[in-house]
Amino acid sequence: MEICFDTFCRHGLEGTSLKMLSEACGVTNAALVYYFGTKDNIVIESTAHCMARVEDDFMANAPTSFSDIARFLQQMPALTARRHGAKYRFMYQVYASPKYREKGREFFQGVNVRYGQYARQLSGKLGLPADFIQGMTYCFVRACVHYALFEDEEYLNLQLNAIRASLAAVAGSIQGKERNP
């Protein structure tokens, strides 16, 4: 899956042939067709698999405490761009295509579920409500992806400043409630 996805990332959706995929994987075309059925299935399965791995990488670097959020906000955009820029470009090429749009909807419904799970995992560590973390995760991931795609510092900084201001407001609200129950 990962070899196929990397091959697609290097050569693009239309520029990648079944022969290129089989050569990269060290198998015959017949073996790929037997296992996946069609090139379209390879596109869908490898994209979903590898983008879920990107999410795993993101969560492996997630903040471990409220004070660790600053590190996370500072490090992740550049890390994401370096490690995953080509993957994001290919994912959007796939899921923006009318041919694969429905599969993209399914994938992003899964993202919603996974981000909810991540938010619940982080809530206790960060001392923030899970629904707030989930919303901020969407904002932050969008900022990281945009930066990975376009290296747009201005957009990134505007998004990060909005996230920081939101974090400060929510943290202040939580602290105020703790002092005045």
Side-chain angles (χ1 to χ4, degrees):
M1 298 283 251
E2 291 175 22
I3 291 170
C4 287
F5 189 73
D6 289 342
T7 303
F8 282 122
C9 288
R10 278 193 309 281
H11 302 285
L13 187 56
E14 298 303 322
T16 303
S17 67
L18 197 56
K19 183 177 192 265
M20 292 168 84
L21 294 170
S22 64
E23 286 174 358
C25 292
V27 299
T28 65
N29 284 3
L32 279 181
V33 170
Y34 176 79
Y35 187 75
F36 289 103
T38 65
K39 180 181 164 188
D40 288 337
N41 289 341
I42 299 170
V43 169
I44 294 304
E45 291 184 38
S46 68
T47 300
H49 171 79
C50 289
M51 293 314 296
R53 299 279 313 260
V54 168
E55 289 176 24
D56 293 342
D57 183 51
F58 197 83
M59 282 304 295
N61 289 286
T64 56
S65 65
F66 187 84
S67 62
D68 191 36
I69 294 172
R71 180 232 12 121
F72 182 68
L73 293 177
Q74 175 152 7
Q75 288 179 350
M76 283 310 292
L79 187 69
T80 298
R82 188 172 60 253
R83 288 184 183 170
H84 307 302
K87 296 171 187 172
Y88 284 122
R89 280 187 283 285
F90 182 70
M91 179 198 66
Y92 281 109
Q93 183 182 9
V94 169
Y95 292 147
S97 166
K99 185 176 188 177
Y100 304 114
R101 186 177 173 132
E102 193 56 41
K103 293 296 183 181
R105 283 188 184 154
E106 291 172 18
F107 174 77
F108 283 104
Q109 286 172 349
V111 167
N112 293 340
V113 171
R114 290 187 299 277
Y115 281 15
Q117 292 168 340
Y118 298 149
R120 287 186 294 281
Q121 289 172 9
L122 291 172
S123 182
K125 294 177 186 177
L126 305 182
L128 296 168
D131 61 339
F132 175 77
I133 294 170
Q134 186 173 354
M136 288 294 100
T137 300
Y138 284 111
C139 294
F140 186 60
V141 168
R142 183 176 176 96
C144 288
V145 169
H146 186 88
Y147 182 72
L149 294 173
F150 306 110
E151 297 178 16
D152 186 341
E153 294 276 342
E154 182 177 1
Y155 180 90
L156 176 65
N157 288 326
L158 287 169
Q159 292 288 348
L160 291 177
N161 289 339
I163 291 168
R164 287 182 185 109
S166 297
L167 282 165
V170 168
S173 173
I174 290 171
Q175 289 173 349
K177 288 178 185 177
E178 289 174 355
R179 279 182 262 159
N180 301 317

